[in-house]
Amino acid sequence: MAETPQGQGQETLSNLLQESRSFPPPADLAADANVQADAYDAASADRLRFWEDQARRLQWEQPWSNVLDWNPPFAEWFTGGKLNAAVNCVDRHVDAGRGERVAFHWEGEPGDTRTITYADLKDMVCQAANALTELGVGKGDRVAIYMPMIPETVVAMLACARVGAVHMVVFGGFSVDALGTRLDDSEAKLVVTADGGYRRGKPSSLKPAVDDAVRDRPAVENVLVVRRTGQDVEWNEGRDVWWHDIVDRQSAEHAAEAHDSEHPLYIMYTSGTTAKPKGILHTTGGYLTQVSYTHWAVFDLKPETDVFWTAADIGWVTGHSYIVYGPLSNGATSVMYEGTPDTPHKGRFWEIVQKYGVTIAYMAPTAIRTFMKWGEEYPAQFDLSSLRVLGSVGEPINPEAYMWYRTHIGGGRTPIVDTWWQTETGAIMVTPMPGITHGKPGAAMQPIPGVVADVVDESGESVPRGQGGFIVIREPWPSMLRGIWGDPERYKKTYWSRFEGLYFPGDGAKRDEDGDLWLLGRVDDVMLVSGHNISTTEVESALVAHPNVAEAAVTGASDPVTGQAIVAFVILRSEAGDGGSGLVKELREHVAAHLGPIAKPRQILVVPELPKTRSGKIMRRLLKDVAENRELGDVSTLTDAQSIQTLQEAFQESGKSDE
Ligand code: WT7
């Protein structure tokens, strides 16, 4: 390993991981790709004009007079323009004679299915929009949506967009408290929910949580309830309304008003690391422009022939942008799946790919690593030859997980697009392009055309090739957040104060010798070991590269000698058994051999599970508490609070006997 120059350790991330594999796009895909290399040239020659060209992919009822009004850090895009997001996602395709195209192949967890065409969707959205009007919900009102993954969730979002109400989707796995604080902050007047949904083979209720949350919140005037599971529900006369009672009797005609380009479309809360969740605000014209463009460009979408599947929940921004607004604005056919990947068996995802002939699949590295752990025999049972592009989102994808995905899911043919973005960016920002880029396992590669990203050091200077630092965005982009709901100061402070005039997403990154970008996780997670800033991602990737390791989480724990020391928690692949006593030593040596002795973990603990948020991100903050023998911090956003306690006990038992 090259020694970091004196004094640099505090300022830049060490660049430890060496990865030389690279995969050119398949020739046929490259020849026919929606986006060719000239897109980058066009965008750098005239960025605003490039985005205007992309905005023209949409249907505007009134053209914009100005592309961008930029009063840092507040941006307005396509001002003066008017459009309706629901019309763009639905009516437009029906009007063009494509009403019979399938919008969603919906698959319920118990195996029930629904096929929804664009014509069906148009009727459903219009009826729901009329129902919202009857319930007194109009332009600018906030509507909370707390739903399972069923078509009505999409319909409710689009009905809001149609009438100009602002939707605020809360993930159905969140607690009463999480729902309640979001209702307070957004001042929603309607909650759309269901009796329940199916998860892990059984009905899981939603309505009781809404009842609890709404009890002391008179601002919520109505609760609109979809019947999904048939579970018994308590009924609050005068407040609760069945979806089938009010929506089904509405007219399927609805004249949609065109809204201002900057009219609020939705609020999506991100928890961040501190107390109060941030209500990230997205508006209409710019957001739709960039999600529509990226969905078409990054996945090389051919709407006539592709079957697209984002295996994520609509309760996350990934679902908003790439289950709802991106695919529908492009007239795509998508799969939507209600349940979990191991119900009723561990091949469920691959069975769905085979059944619907999915051509493009998009999922999180945490899912991919879980599939690695289960073993390649599950996907091997199904015909996955329809797949032509694979996507990854939500976390850095370790090179080994990338290789597994490419090999066992993509049959060694498919390009993988490792898409870096955030709730705040609204749409994909840094990614390979499937028809152009020679993809490198673990690298998000380059900003998309029209996005200006950079990697800078502590003082905001661009770092040279071969060095690490902080990723920043230098110019406003169409789908950027317009602010934090009700808190402009927090918006400025969180994103725009670290580096003068630059948007700081909070992630570490490095620029390799070719100028390509590698995202290295949240800077809060970076470890400072003997004066070297080392990214948790690189150490985790080195561990996952060992044939016995499926998943790894790394954290820095305070250490009297080195400042911080590296502590790792690993999950073994199923064929590795319990690993045996020699394995930990072997893994420590393996990391040292891969990244250099500085990155050798002080301790490694083999665990059955890792603490994750409900969106699948590892909670390193809690692992740090464990590693430093501290009382655990806030565990309320964990999927399974018990697992971390078990892990803590195991850690305390293991002592420091690894030496
Ligand atoms: C954070 C944003 C992107 C929508 C879903 C998550 C991490 C996301 C990648 C990637 C490395 C990634 C970043 C980012 N992240 N994608 N491809 N490579 N890191 O949205 O919950 O707002 O999280 O997820 O740390 O800041 P989110």
Side-chain angles (χ1 to χ4, degrees):
M1 186 205 72
E3 200 49 53
T4 311
Q6 199 65 39
Q8 290 278 302
Q10 308 275 347
E11 289 159 24
T12 55
L13 271 171
S14 296
N15 178 11
L16 301 177
L17 191 72
Q18 299 303 322
E19 171 62 62
S20 54
R21 290 171 286 196
S22 149
F23 300 98
D28 53 339
L29 198 156
D32 193 32
N34 290 347
V35 175
Q36 302 290 341
D38 60 353
Y40 292 96
D41 304 332
S44 43
D46 191 339
R47 189 173 59 91
L48 296 186
R49 181 156 173 204
F50 171 83
W51 283 121
E52 278 192 285
D53 289 343
Q54 307 321 321
R56 283 193 200 96
R57 299 180 65 254
L58 304 174
Q59 177 177 313
W60 296 76
E61 307 313 325
Q62 182 177 304
W64 55 91
S65 45
N66 206 5
V67 193
L68 170 66
D69 291 308
W70 179 224
N71 299 303
F74 296 97
E76 296 190 338
W77 282 84
F78 309 115
T79 43
K82 285 180 189 290
L83 75 170
N84 187 294
V87 168
N88 271 281
C89 287
V90 186
D91 306 42
R92 183 161 63 117
H93 311 305
V94 180
D95 295 345
R98 295 189 290 269
E100 294 316 303
R101 184 180 294 166
V102 173
F104 289 108
H105 293 292
W106 177 80
E107 173 102 1
E109 199 192 71
D112 50 336
T113 61
R114 288 163 73 182
T115 306
I116 295 175
T117 65
Y118 277 90
D120 297 333
L121 193 60
K122 175 166 181 268
D123 289 351
M124 293 165 82
V125 171
C126 287
Q127 286 185 302
N130 285 321
L132 290 180
T133 307
E134 187 178 317
L135 290 170
V137 173
K139 193 161 176 166
D141 289 337
R142 271 81 63 206
V143 174
I145 299 179
Y146 183 69
M147 295 275 270
M149 284 281 288
I150 57 177
E152 283 75 9
T153 310
V154 179
V155 172
M157 291 166 73
L158 293 174
C160 287
R162 197 168 183 101
V163 304
V166 184
H167 59 70
M168 191 275 285
V169 181
V170 179
F171 173 56
F174 273 152
S175 64
V176 178
D177 284 351
L179 176 59
T181 52
R182 285 158 177 76
L183 289 175
D184 286 339
D185 193 68
S186 64
E187 298 172 285
K189 67 191 278 192
L190 174 73
V191 180
V192 186
T193 189
D195 47 1
Y198 288 92
R199 283 201 79 74
R200 305 199 184 282
K202 45 181 198 287
S204 134
S205 64
L206 287 167
K207 175 77 165 42
V210 175
D211 290 337
D212 282 353
V214 164
R215 190 162 296 126
D216 302 319
R217 293 189 167 85
V220 175
E221 293 168 16
N222 290 106
V223 176
L224 181 56
V225 190
V226 177
R227 183 179 281 153
R228 161 67 182 134
T229 57
Q231 286 160 291
D232 282 340
V233 292
E234 257 177 54
W235 206 250
N236 186 316
E237 279 311 324
R239 185 197 72 188
D240 297 348
V241 187
W242 281 115
W243 177 283
H244 53 258
D245 280 345
I246 189 166
V247 176
D248 292 0
R249 64 175 162 77
Q250 302 291 330
S251 158
E253 300 296 318
H254 180 271
E257 182 193 341
H259 304 296
D260 284 339
S261 178
E262 282 298 335
H263 185 67
L265 181 64
Y266 70 82
I267 304 168
M268 166 104 254
Y269 285 84
T270 60
S271 46
T273 41
T274 51
K276 193 175 169 229
K278 302 187 282 277
I280 303 301
L281 176 67
H282 285 292
T283 59
T284 309
Y287 173 78
L288 207 57
T289 296
Q290 193 172 334
V291 294
S292 191
Y293 171 69
T294 50
H295 177 253
W296 172 84
V298 175
F299 298 105
D300 189 41
L301 178 86
K302 306 287 194 273
E304 303 79 20
T305 47
D306 275 320
V307 178
F308 179 81
W309 182 22
T310 291
D313 197 279
I314 289 186
W316 313 122
V317 74
T318 307
H320 281 48
S321 297
Y322 300 105
I323 297 178
V324 182
Y325 291 108
L328 294 175
S329 65
N330 287 322
T333 294
S334 293
V335 166
M336 181 174 170
Y337 172 55
E338 179 185 32
T340 44
D342 52 353
T343 307
H345 58 78
K346 289 181 172 148
R348 185 71 189 268
F349 269 30
W350 321 121
E351 185 179 52
I352 290 173
V353 168
Q354 173 180 289
K355 177 173 176 183
Y356 296 106
V358 172
T359 58
I360 307 167
Y362 191 34
M363 59 192 74
T366 177
I368 297 162
R369 290 188 302 261
T370 301
F371 299 134
M372 278 172 75
K373 179 175 71 184
W374 291 344
E376 63 218 47
E377 59 273 25
Y378 294 99
Q381 289 160 26
F382 299 94
D383 177 6
L384 307 181
S385 62
S386 55
L387 289 167
R388 62 180 200 94
V389 177
L390 296 175
S392 167
V393 60
E395 275 185 292
I397 180 165
N398 326 95
E400 221 45 42
Y402 179 110
M403 290 308 298
W404 190 93
Y405 195 29
R406 188 182 154 92
T407 309
H408 297 291
I409 308 305
R413 318 172 298 279
T414 57
I416 292 178
V417 290
D418 171 13
T419 64
W420 177 87
W421 58 293
Q422 311 177 288
T423 304
E424 292 87 340
T425 69
I428 294 167
M429 300 290 278
V430 181
T431 180
M433 285 287 182
I436 306 172
T437 313
H438 291 227
K440 300 175 185 174
M445 302 299 290
Q446 291 289 331
I448 61 165
V451 165
V452 186
D454 197 359
V455 181
V456 299
D457 65 18
E458 194 82 5
S459 56
E461 298 294 321
S462 293
V463 303
R465 293 183 174 198
Q467 277 199 23
F470 308 93
I471 189 168
V472 293
I473 313 294
R474 291 198 170 275
E475 302 288 344
W477 63 100
S479 64
M480 67 189 271
L481 74 165
R482 297 307 195 257
I484 295 176
W485 185 255
D487 202 345
E489 282 311 311
R490 192 174 179 198
Y491 166 68
K492 286 189 206 166
K493 195 164 162 282
T494 310
Y495 305 107
W496 298 92
S497 66
R498 180 68 183 76
F499 301 106
E500 176 74 31
L502 303 178
Y503 174 82
F504 177 46
D507 282 11
K510 72 181 186 198
R511 194 197 310 274
D512 71 14
E513 296 296 345
D514 304 323
D516 295 320
L517 304 186
W518 300 67
L519 275 302
L520 298 176
R522 311 294 300 168
V523 290
D524 317 335
D525 292 336
V526 167
M527 305 170 290
L528 188 58
V529 183
S530 305
H532 297 266
N533 273 330
I534 296 177
S535 95
T536 50
T537 299
E538 289 194 324
V539 180
E540 287 163 7
S541 291
L543 284 163
V544 174
H546 187 280
N548 288 350
V549 176
E551 191 152 20
V554 162
T555 187
S558 58
D559 185 279
V561 180
T562 55
Q564 281 191 317
I566 300 174
V567 177
F569 300 82
V570 300
I571 297 179
L572 300 182
R573 293 210 200 186
S574 52
E575 61 270 22
D578 67 358
S581 55
L583 184 63
V584 164
K585 186 161 184 289
E586 186 181 325
L587 289 177
R588 294 179 68 229
E589 294 307 329
H590 167 87
V591 173
H594 252 66
L595 302 178
I598 185 117
K600 187 173 177 175
R602 182 183 77 189
Q603 284 160 277
I604 296 181
L605 189 68
V606 175
V607 296
E609 261 180 293
L610 291 168
K612 288 188 185 160
T613 65
R614 287 166 195 273
S615 63
K617 290 194 208 292
I618 295 168
M619 288 185 82
R620 293 184 187 75
R621 173 174 62 73
L622 288 180
L623 292 175
K624 198 180 176 69
D625 291 345
V626 170
E628 296 186 338
N629 292 308
R630 252 200 321 264
E631 209 167 298
L632 296 175
D634 180 16
V635 295
S636 64
T637 56
L638 266 186
T639 31
D640 173 8
Q642 185 51 46
S643 69
I644 185 78
Q645 269 146 27
T646 317
L647 201 147
Q648 190 172 35
E649 284 154 24
F651 185 82
Q652 282 161 359
E653 227 145 85
S654 77
K656 292 182 184 174
S657 56
D658 293 351
E659 279 304 333

